[in-house]
Amino acid sequence: MNSNLTDKPLNVSTNTVVITVVGKDKVGIIAGVSTTLAKENMNIMDISQTILQDVFTMIMLVHLPLGNNDFQQLKNTFDQLGNELGVSIMLQHSDIFNAMHRI
């Protein structure tokens, strides 16, 4: 697994989601996010995480299973998780990033 997302081009399928997590560092952030990913049957394809002073930052590429078509429900699930953990969690389809590179 590549630990730096900038080392390779973003040539991923439409079933790939970019997840960013930002907030004050504390115990349980990675556990909470990864547990929720597992419950949603989403596989982590690549991950980068660091702590800048007291600010936790993480970006992940995750595979969205073909059967999971309710992206808004996933966003709601991760919004709720972010509220519980005290962090901001944002989900975006990788198609957004691919489209930006075509412009």
Side-chain angles (χ1 to χ4, degrees):
M1 175 167 46
N2 186 344
S3 65
N4 187 342
L5 297 177
T6 60
D7 287 349
K8 61 185 176 185
L10 192 59
N11 295 328
V12 292
S13 74
T14 58
N15 294 351
T16 303
V17 176
V18 177
I19 299 178
T20 57
V21 181
V22 178
K24 184 166 174 45
D25 186 36
K26 67 178 189 175
V27 173
I29 297 172
I30 294 173
V33 173
S34 61
T35 298
T36 302
L37 289 171
K39 287 178 183 175
E40 296 294 337
N41 199 29
M42 298 171 75
N43 188 42
I44 298 171
M45 299 166 53
D46 207 343
I47 186 170
S48 176
Q49 177 268 320
T50 192
I51 299 168
L52 305 169
Q53 294 184 6
D54 274 349
V55 179
F56 175 89
T57 62
M58 180 168 62
I59 185 167
M60 296 183 281
L61 287 177
V62 299
H63 183 260
L64 180 64
L66 289 174
N68 195 337
N69 295 325
D70 193 351
F71 190 71
Q72 186 58 49
Q73 179 57 43
L74 276 177
K75 288 179 87 167
N76 293 342
T77 297
F78 281 94
D79 282 345
Q80 181 179 351
L81 176 64
N83 288 335
E84 292 170 9
L85 296 174
V87 297
S88 171
I89 302 176
M90 187 169 62
L91 278 68
Q92 296 177 309
H93 277 290
S94 62
D95 293 344
I96 293 171
F97 296 95
N98 290 333
M100 287 189 312
H101 290 290
R102 283 185 234 142
I103 295 175

